[in-house]
Amino acid sequence: FTPYEKDGKLWGRGAWDMKAAIACQLIIMRECSLMDNPPDVGLMIVPDEETTGASAKSFLDKGYVGEFFLTSEPSNFLIGNESKGVCQLRVCFEGVAGHGSRPWQGVNAIQKAVGFIKNLDAIFPEVHEGEWKTSCNVAMIKGGDVINKIPDSCEVDLDIRYIAEDN
């Protein structure tokens, strides 16, 4: 994730999403302001569009609304007229702690979680570039606290991006 320059372009996490887009939006705003009859246009820049969305909600709660919205997500200059919904959830698994040398005396919560994760493929098949399907990302797994103990808990965080048909 270390940014670098190659052939006059900046490469790295966040280089396009959203810094370059914001620069383009600011240029558009400046150009609109220089028009003889400038349009009634606003610009909302938020830091949490993929997490809580609280920033955008606060603007909406204050009455900042519009009839038309543009987003600057990378799209190869194609027009998109829909977006995916977001469902982020944590699934918790319980086991029974025990000493690692006596696995028959415990129930491994991480192994229970692994079985669950393997079954996700049947519900959420792999999505390839250009496909408009619901997807599921196993984003985080937390379990166990020491190496010689059978873990009695495990948490799996899922980031599900769903299409309207699956709502």
Side-chain angles (χ1 to χ4, degrees):
F1 295 115
T2 302
Y4 64 93
E5 182 187 347
K6 180 180 176 185
D7 299 326
K9 296 179 181 178
L10 180 63
W11 296 87
R13 185 176 187 177
W16 164 254
D17 186 24
M18 287 299 296
K19 290 155 198 71
I22 291 171
C24 292
Q25 291 168 343
L26 291 172
I27 291 169
I28 290 169
M29 294 298 290
R30 184 189 69 209
E31 293 299 314
C32 286
S33 72
L34 298 174
M35 294 177 166
D36 291 335
N37 187 14
D40 183 10
V41 62
L43 176 62
M44 183 188 307
I45 300 171
V46 297
D48 57 357
E49 80 278 2
E50 293 206 28
T51 54
T52 66
S55 298
K57 184 177 182 325
S58 71
F59 279 105
L60 296 173
D61 289 345
K62 292 176 185 171
Y64 293 102
V65 296
E67 294 180 17
F68 182 76
F69 293 89
L70 289 178
T71 181
S72 298
E73 293 293 327
S75 67
N76 292 326
F77 300 106
L78 300 173
I79 295 175
N81 60 359
E82 60 184 332
S83 65
K84 290 185 176 183
V86 178
C87 177
Q88 294 172 329
L89 54 100
R90 174 169 290 152
V91 183
C92 300
F93 297 88
E94 293 183 3
V96 177
H99 195 278
S101 67
R102 298 170 178 247
W104 60 89
Q105 292 181 342
V107 177
N108 190 314
I110 293 175
Q111 288 179 327
K112 289 170 97 174
V114 167
F116 168 80
I117 292 167
K118 285 181 180 179
N119 288 327
L120 288 174
D121 288 340
I123 302 167
F124 303 103
E126 186 176 353
V127 178
H128 300 92
E129 185 175 353
E131 294 180 328
W132 189 252
K133 296 180 180 178
T134 295
S135 61
C136 179
N137 173 38
V138 179
M140 291 192 293
I141 301 173
K142 298 176 188 172
D145 53 6
V146 294
I147 196 164
N148 64 338
K149 177 182 163 188
I150 297 168
D152 60 354
S153 67
C154 182
E155 298 175 348
V156 177
D157 290 352
L158 303 177
D159 180 19
I160 301 169
R161 304 299 173 112
Y162 59 90
I163 60 174
E165 291 83 10
D166 293 337
N167 188 3

